[in-house]
Amino acid sequence: MNKALRQTTFNLEMDWPGLSSPLMVRRSGQRAGFVTLSEDVTGTDDGAIFPRTGSMELPVERWTQLIERDLFGLRGDHPGVSGRVLLSFLARRISSHGFNEPTRTFSRQSAPEAASNLAYLLGWTGSSSTNTDSWPPERQRVPS
């Protein structure tokens, strides 16, 4: 983490499936490996016996899994597709030149990373079907 960002906290307010009010997500430079959520959105798959209430802190890796599961329907292994990259296609920064290229979320993003995630967003599954009567193609879900 850049030394100048250690005292900075980043906030994101976003809609989340199943919540009636926006979810607040915070990440601090002092604890860059963790995010704080205003509500528990982990669901029943985290091993908790009772539902949690109030804000909670979780590792960035777990946050990425929740983004993949709840926002993009990704379950299990999905090589080349990342929830954080998928989300970055939907929330870009003008100051980082995020809109300069429609197929990349930032100017130095690798072509393979951008292509695999963009293909998922557009519903391209890699099948050889060329039927254009049913556009957009249905996204195939990875079995859990």
Side-chain angles (χ1 to χ4, degrees), residues 5-62:
L5 297 177
R6 288 194 182 136
Q7 300 303 317
T8 304
T9 299
F10 299 92
N11 296 294
L12 171 67
E13 187 174 286
M14 62 188 297
D15 292 333
W16 194 267
L19 295 182
S20 58
S21 60
L23 178 68
M24 177 61 76
V25 184
R26 290 187 315 271
R27 188 171 179 191
S28 166
Q30 289 184 331
R31 293 185 43 86
F34 295 88
V35 297
T36 302
L37 307 177
S38 60
E39 293 190 47
D40 179 11
V41 295
T42 58
T44 59
D45 68 348
D46 70 343
I49 297 173
F50 300 104
R52 295 181 189 92
T53 58
S55 66
M56 65 177 303
E57 184 177 80
L58 52 122
V60 170
E61 294 81 16
R62 180 65 178 133

Side-chain angles (χ1 to χ4, degrees), residues 86-98:
L86 291 171
L87 188 58
S88 69
F89 271 106
L90 304 176
R92 301 184 192 197
R93 289 185 183 177
I94 293 173
S95 63
S96 297
H97 309 288

